[in-house]
C-alpha cells in the first residue's frame, strides 16, 4: 500500500477538533487521517502519526517513512508553513493529511461528485 502526507493549512484549535469529532461520528475518511499539532516539526508530526489508531492494513513504519520523505523533499514548503503557524499565533494548529493513496482518491472523487 502507498501513502501520502501533505501539510494542508492552519486551523484554530477548536475548529480542528470540532471537525475531527464530526468526521468520527460520520465515520468519514476511512483511510484518510487529518493531524493537528502546535509545532511544525518532523518530530511533532511523527509523534502525532504514531498516536493515530491504526487504520485497516496500514503499515505504520511505511506511514512514518512517508512523513520523513515529505519532510526531506519539501523543505521550502515546510519553512513556509512554519512561518505561517508562527504568524497565526498559539491558538492555532498546523494541519496535515496522511492517507493511503486509494482512500484519498476515493475521498477526492466523492468531493467532486458532490460539487457537480
Amino acid at each position: 500500500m502507498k501513502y501520502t502526507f501533505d501539510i494542508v493549512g492552519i486551523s484554530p484549535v477548536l475548529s480542528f477538533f470540532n471537525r475531527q469529532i464530526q468526521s468520527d461520528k460520520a465515520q468519514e475518511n476511512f483511510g484518510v487521517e487529518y493531524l493537528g499539532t502546535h509545532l511544525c516539526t518532523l518530530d511533532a508530526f511523527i509523534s502525532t502519526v504514531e498516536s493515530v489508531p491504526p487504520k485497516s492494513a496500514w503499515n505504520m513504519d511505511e506511514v512514518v517513512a512517508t512523513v520523513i520523505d515529505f519532510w526531506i523533499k519539501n523543505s521550502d514548503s515546510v519553512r513556509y508553513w512554519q512561518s505561517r503557524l508562527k504568524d497565526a499565533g498559539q491558538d492555532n494548529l498546523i494541519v496535515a493529511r496522511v492517507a493511503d493513496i486509494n482512500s484519498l482518491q476515493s475521498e477526492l472523487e466523492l468531493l467532486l461528485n458532490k460539487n457537480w
Side-chain angles (χ1 to χ4, degrees):
M1 188 175 304
K2 294 189 88 166
Y3 304 95
T4 181
F5 175 87
D6 294 296
I7 297 175
V8 295
I10 306 293
S11 174
V13 173
L14 292 177
S15 295
F16 176 76
F17 285 113
N18 185 42
R19 176 67 179 119
Q20 290 291 85
I21 289 169
Q22 290 174 357
S23 178
D24 286 347
K25 285 182 181 177
Q27 294 184 351
E28 294 176 352
N29 305 330
F30 191 78
V32 179
E33 192 69 41
Y34 290 87
L35 314 168
T37 180
H38 286 288
L39 301 172
C40 186
T41 65
L42 177 58
D43 289 342
F45 277 114
I46 289 174
S47 177
T48 304
V49 165
E50 290 176 337
S51 68
V52 171
K55 302 290 182 184
S56 66
W58 274 25
N59 180 324
M60 292 309 286
D61 290 337
E62 288 183 26
V63 173
V64 169
T66 301
V67 174
I68 293 168
D69 188 55
F70 173 88
W71 216 262
I72 291 168
K73 292 181 178 176
N74 297 283
S75 60
D76 289 341
S77 177
V78 169
R79 282 193 297 276
Y80 170 82
W81 286 111
Q82 287 170 332
S83 178
R84 297 293 67 77
L85 181 61
K86 184 179 178 183
D87 293 344
Q90 63 183 341
D91 293 333
N92 293 282
L93 301 171
I94 185 143
V95 179
R97 177 186 58 225
V98 64
D100 71 73
I101 297 290
N102 293 332
S103 293
L104 182 59
Q105 180 179 354
S106 296
E107 180 181 271
L108 294 175
E109 288 172 355
L110 179 65
L111 287 172
L112 289 173
N113 289 334
K114 282 184 180 179
N115 291 323
W116 289 98

